[in-house]
Amino acid sequence: MTDAPVIRRSPVKPRDCNLARSFELIGDRWTLLILRSAMYGVRRFDDFQAELDVPRSVLSARLAALVDAGIMEKREYREEGQRARIEYPLTRMGSQLGLPFVAMTEWGDRWLSEGEPHFGLRSRANGQKLRVMLVDERGKPVKPQDIQYVVDDEVWPQETPGQGPAKPRRKSG
């Protein structure tokens, strides 16, 4: 088995990396657990608190941050005979975190599971199990060894051997 070549630095600086920005926004434990519960349909403060056993002050701060980021929204509801309260449904932006969460679930099922997974996805059309994979623009599956990273030279200029980083190329026009 051949090892991959040693990489001395990431291809994109953290300040320019949307993956790093995503981690900054949602990467702490409580935020991820709140989003996980929200993916299953939990919306109400007391339900989040009871399910996660998160301190109320932490939950309040994380929900406020998710609302500020546009991942969740505050929506008023009122049960009969009760005062108005707030629920926190996912926005479209928040719902689109479903795919990376399913990918992480699949990874956990493979590497961390102690038996059969407790959760899975199936196609409504044919009942087949679903899994996450990379496909090209035409929908054809891509093997990991066929993936190439492409980085904009303006974001991270290529190094010229013996000369350090190359100067960014300017676009003409």
Side-chain angles (χ1 to χ4, degrees):
M1 183 167 153
T2 306
D3 288 333
V6 174
I7 304 294
R8 300 284 179 202
R9 64 181 184 162
S10 300
V12 180
K13 295 177 185 176
R15 72 170 185 261
D16 296 322
C17 178
N18 288 326
L19 180 58
R21 288 181 183 137
S22 299
F23 291 161
E24 184 70 28
L25 185 63
I26 66 165
D28 75 86
R29 176 180 187 265
W30 288 120
T31 301
L32 289 168
L33 289 173
I34 291 164
L35 289 169
R36 174 200 162 273
S37 294
M39 294 287 170
Y40 287 128
V42 176
R43 293 180 168 199
R44 297 178 177 177
F45 188 97
D46 289 339
D47 295 336
F48 283 116
Q49 205 281 321
E51 176 169 310
L52 302 174
D53 197 28
V54 56
R56 294 179 76 79
S57 60
V58 172
L59 178 58
S60 181
R62 296 308 189 279
L63 287 171
L66 289 165
V67 169
D68 288 346
I71 294 172
M72 297 180 103
E73 65 179 323
K74 286 173 87 168
R75 187 182 301 161
E76 193 172 284
Y77 74 95
R78 180 188 304 264
E79 292 180 351
E80 192 172 326
Q82 299 290 321
R83 64 180 174 88
R85 304 197 62 166
I86 302 294
E87 64 181 7
Y88 298 88
L90 293 166
T91 63
R92 184 169 171 242
M93 178 185 183
S95 294
Q96 289 193 347
L97 284 167
L99 185 61
F101 276 52
V102 170
M104 289 297 296
T105 300
E106 191 174 301
W107 178 86
D109 289 347
R110 179 172 181 179
W111 297 104
L112 307 175
S113 183
E114 297 176 1
E116 284 298 307
H118 301 287
F119 174 80
L121 299 174
R122 293 192 182 273
S123 167
R124 284 188 177 154
N126 60 23
Q128 295 291 308
K129 288 182 182 179
L130 301 175
R131 63 187 177 102
V132 177
M133 64 185 319
L134 292 174
V135 297
D136 65 19
E137 295 170 295
R138 295 184 193 120
K140 181 181 174 188
V142 178
K143 296 176 185 171
Q145 64 267 25
D146 293 333
I147 297 170
Q148 175 185 13
Y149 292 98
V150 180
V151 181
D152 184 346
D153 283 344
E154 290 183 20
V155 172
W156 197 294
Q158 296 292 319
E159 285 193 13
T160 306
Q163 297 179 4
K167 293 181 180 176
R169 290 182 239 154
R170 292 197 173 151
K171 293 182 182 177
S172 59

